[in-house]
Amino acid sequence: MKKIGILGSTGSVGSQTLEIIDDYKEQFELVFISGHSNIDKLSKQIDRYNPKYACISNDDILAKLSNQTKFNKLYKGSQGLSDLCSMDVDLVVNAISGYKGLYLSVKLLENNINIALSNKESIVQAGSILTKMAKDRNLNIFPVDSEHSALWQCLMGENQDSIDKLILTGSGGPFRKLDKENFYQITKEQALKHPNWSMGNKITIDSATMMNKGFEVIEAHHLFEIDYNDINIVIHPESIIHSMVKFIDGSIKAQLSIPTMRIPIQFALSYPERIQNKNIDFDFTENNNFTFEKVDYDKFKCIKLAYDAGKKSGTYPAVLNVANDMAVDMFLKDSINFIDIPELIEESLNSHSSISEPTIDDIKETILETENFINNYKSKRVC
Ligand code: MN3
């Protein structure tokens, strides 16, 4: 029986993780869940899945939680999240959205707990630190993202020296066919409509700007120790091939399935075993149109910003991440345009002096600095 905890259970990945644990009760035991603002959903999850512990973000919403009496101890706020990270569990799914998920990833590794990582911000900001911590402590960081799960599966049983390059696939998002000249007109409603995947707002906007793919490049670099020059992106609008690895002999391995997060989440939970999914099939004769396109780096400036920040390393990726997080939030609150997102990130990167081989404290400092930079920018705009 694997004991599992979920950080961020009310989001898309968190909710699907709960369904999987519930479907395979003989194999998984649910220890804890945590939610942030969606208290109704958290309350329902508590009733439906009966975790031993739950964590909510603050006291204000405590009153709204009808089933609080079910718990010996209900955890609260950042201290509560931190307490969850020291519980007796085998694996924690970190599905918190945003850059604050990093501190919890660090906490989990410090407490010798394996992570199924859906919070890509952790690896983007502090990839070298987290992967080194995991290695030193003999722990695993299992990818939950569909692309990295695909790469992980393609790389199993292969030598590092045999890898020629990683090929990340991306759907291209909703604006793949829109001319760059019309990008300034993009509305929030348009950007929130993803053609293939249904996800939270933040990651849906990241898919529309393609920053998501840029983050995934950085993530792949750290998780699989591959040089940035050997990580390519190809647009594959059908989202059936979830990524590929080309080997030095010219052979290419790909991982395919219908677009569902169920498979990557489940594999991260069940690894090294695979568990039966009776209802997932694939008919090649009905899905026989696989197409591929080049990435338009000119249109999707965020990808280039991500490659550059990743290659420059140090604290640049943290700036990239926080600036993006805040810019997306501003776009969602109608305070900037879609095309301002990469501009704001670029300005933040340009104003930053990076620290090479940063510690977690350096990264914290960089996060604060970037928050200040963007907040100043915000107040200047209001004037
Ligand atoms: Mn992905």
Side-chain angles (χ1 to χ4, degrees):
M1 194 80 136
K2 260 189 207 171
K3 288 182 268 187
I4 315 261
I6 307 172
L7 297 169
S9 65
T10 54
S12 165
V13 168
S15 310
Q16 292 181 75
T17 307
L18 278 171
E19 287 169 25
I20 295 166
I21 294 174
D22 196 53
D23 285 349
Y24 301 100
K25 289 192 198 71
E26 329 69 50
Q27 300 176 56
F28 305 118
E29 181 192 337
L30 181 62
V31 180
F32 64 77
I33 62 176
S34 84
H36 179 48
S37 50
N38 196 344
I39 196 71
D40 291 335
K41 190 161 181 187
L42 188 72
S43 201
K44 280 186 191 134
Q45 289 181 338
I46 290 171
D47 281 334
R48 169 89 175 76
Y49 301 108
N50 206 22
K52 280 193 187 148
Y53 307 100
C55 183
I56 56 168
S57 52
N58 58 52
D59 274 324
D60 298 343
I61 55 174
L62 182 64
K64 294 189 197 154
L65 198 67
S66 54
N67 37 18
Q68 50 180 288
T69 49
K70 275 178 94 163
F71 294 94
N72 309 333
K73 196 168 177 202
L74 187 69
Y75 291 81
K76 273 173 281 179
S78 44
Q79 182 57 46
L81 288 172
S82 172
D83 290 343
L84 294 182
C85 294
S86 61
M87 283 188 173
D88 175 28
V89 285
D90 299 302
L91 180 73
V92 169
V93 180
N94 184 356
I96 294 232
S97 139
Y99 58 88
K100 288 174 180 147
L102 167 66
Y103 305 134
L104 300 171
S105 292
V106 172
K107 258 264 128 57
L108 290 166
L109 295 174
E110 276 172 357
N111 292 321
N112 294 313
I113 298 171
N114 293 306
I115 306 176
L117 192 63
S118 170
N119 174 265
K120 63 184 69 171
E121 289 86 348
S122 296
I123 290 281
V124 169
Q125 296 180 120
S128 315
I129 300 174
L130 293 180
T131 47
K132 183 169 186 307
M133 270 182 92
K135 217 181 216 172
D136 290 349
R137 289 160 184 264
N138 230 336
L139 295 167
N140 294 301
I141 300 174
F142 299 125
V144 169
D145 211 350
S146 61
E147 292 80 0
H148 303 87
S149 181
L151 294 171
W152 180 30
Q153 294 178 60
C154 292
L155 287 168
M156 275 172 194
E158 301 286 352
N159 293 329
Q160 194 76 8
D161 302 344
S162 312
I163 306 166
D164 180 42
K165 61 182 174 190
L166 307 182
I167 305 160
L168 279 167
T169 55
S171 69
F175 307 126
R176 181 171 58 94
K177 292 205 158 132
L178 187 73
D179 286 338
K180 199 188 168 204
E181 292 68 49
N182 297 323
F183 264 42
Y184 73 96
Q185 303 179 340
I186 291 171
T187 65
K188 191 167 73 182
E189 289 68 31
Q190 291 169 323
L192 283 171
K193 259 188 218 135
H194 194 276
N196 300 349
W197 300 94
S198 152
M199 308 172 289
N201 282 354
K202 156 80 169 50
I203 186 170
T204 305
I205 301 299
D206 286 347
S207 297
T209 62
M210 292 201 70
M211 180 58 97
N212 181 53
K213 211 45 61 184
F215 284 162
E216 289 179 354
V217 167
I218 298 177
E219 216 182 338
H221 163 79
H222 290 293
L223 289 174
F224 306 111
E225 297 176 68
I226 302 292
D227 193 278
Y228 281 103
N229 296 320
D230 299 327
I231 306 175
N232 296 357
I233 303 171
V234 67
I235 302 301
H236 167 51
E238 295 80 18
S239 296
I240 299 295
I241 297 177
H242 301 305
S243 279
M244 301 179 261
V245 179
K246 179 173 177 276
F247 297 93
I248 49 172
D249 62 355
S251 180
I252 297 170
K253 278 191 189 173
Q255 187 263 347
L256 294 74
S257 76
I258 56 161
T260 170
M261 281 307 289
R262 169 119 193 165
I263 299 174
I265 298 170
Q266 183 177 303
F267 190 58
L269 295 183
S270 70
Y271 175 84
E273 313 288 326
R274 286 187 187 268
I275 327 178
Q276 181 125 43
N277 262 328
K278 291 210 173 78
N279 302 322
I280 297 183
D281 208 350
F282 189 80
D283 187 338
F284 277 92
T285 58
E286 274 183 24
N287 300 278
N288 57 5
N289 189 25
F290 291 10
T291 61
F292 303 94
E293 294 166 18
K294 284 202 172 97
V295 180
D296 188 336
Y297 293 99
D298 195 36
K299 226 162 84 169
F300 297 105
K301 221 176 146 182
C302 284
I303 305 182
K304 214 184 152 298
L305 291 173
Y307 264 104
D308 288 347
K311 284 180 188 172
K312 279 157 87 182
S313 73
T315 40
Y316 282 116
V319 175
L320 176 88
N321 190 43
V322 178
N324 177 66
D325 209 312
M326 294 180 78
V328 168
D329 190 56
M330 286 163 80
F331 172 67
L332 287 171
K333 288 178 176 147
D334 296 312
S335 56
I336 58 170
N337 288 321
F338 189 78
I339 50 169
D340 295 330
I341 297 174
E343 300 305 324
L344 188 47
I345 299 166
E346 192 170 22
E347 278 187 46
S348 309
L349 286 165
N350 287 343
S351 80
H352 177 66
S353 349
S354 179
I355 303 160
S356 57
E357 293 181 39
T359 61
I360 286 290
D361 284 336
D362 294 331
I363 288 171
K364 274 187 193 169
E365 195 54 46
T366 301
I367 289 172
L368 284 176
E369 183 202 299
T370 309
E371 284 175 339
N372 286 336
F373 180 83
I374 305 241
N375 285 329
N376 280 337
Y377 176 93
K378 261 194 223 171
S379 51
K380 263 189 253 158
R381 275 180 73 100
V382 173
C383 298

